[in-house]
């Protein structure tokens, strides 16, 4: 049995500075979901507060972020926007 793999839909990663989150569309088993990765998660992974480089940090730590996003999605797959925070890290 294949393990579930969440992937980022190309061209959907955006920095929402006013809400302090990076937003993206992820695909899992042919379904698309909207995600919002809070800056606190990026800071926990990198040790740096995002300052104009949130998308770069997202790209650098994408494997860990996608694991956390999958965990957040597992809590409630019916959410309009799945918020991914530091609490979703293993």
């Amino acid at each position: 049995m294949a393990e579930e793999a969440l992937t980022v839909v190309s061209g959907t990663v955006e920095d929402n500075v006013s809400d302090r989150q990076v937003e993206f569309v992820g695909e899992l088993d042919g379904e698309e979901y909207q995600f919002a990765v809070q800056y606190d998660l990026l800071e926990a992974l990198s040790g740096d507060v995002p300052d104009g480089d949130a998308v770069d940090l997202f790209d650098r730590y994408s494997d860990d972020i996608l694991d956390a996003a999958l965990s957040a999605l597992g809590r409630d797959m019916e959410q309009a926007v799945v918020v991914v925070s530091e609490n979703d890290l293993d």
Side-chain angles (χ1 to χ4, degrees), residues 11-80:
T12 65
V13 178
E14 295 182 15
D15 187 3
N16 183 337
V17 176
S18 61
D19 288 339
R20 298 187 38 79
Q21 61 192 21
V22 174
E23 300 168 349
F24 73 97
V25 175
E27 183 177 356
L28 177 67
D29 294 334
E31 296 289 326
E32 290 187 351
Y33 301 92
Q34 179 70 42
F35 291 91
V37 178
Q38 296 181 336
Y39 277 14
D40 71 335
L41 174 65
L42 298 173
E43 183 177 355
L45 290 170
S46 69
D48 295 319
V49 176
D51 184 22
D53 62 348
V55 171
D56 291 336
L57 292 174
F58 177 92
D59 290 339
R60 188 176 314 146
Y61 297 98
S62 63
D63 289 342
D64 293 325
I65 291 169
L66 290 177
D67 286 343
L70 192 57
S71 175
L73 180 62
R75 285 194 311 269
D76 181 3
M77 296 183 83
E78 300 301 318
Q79 301 173 72

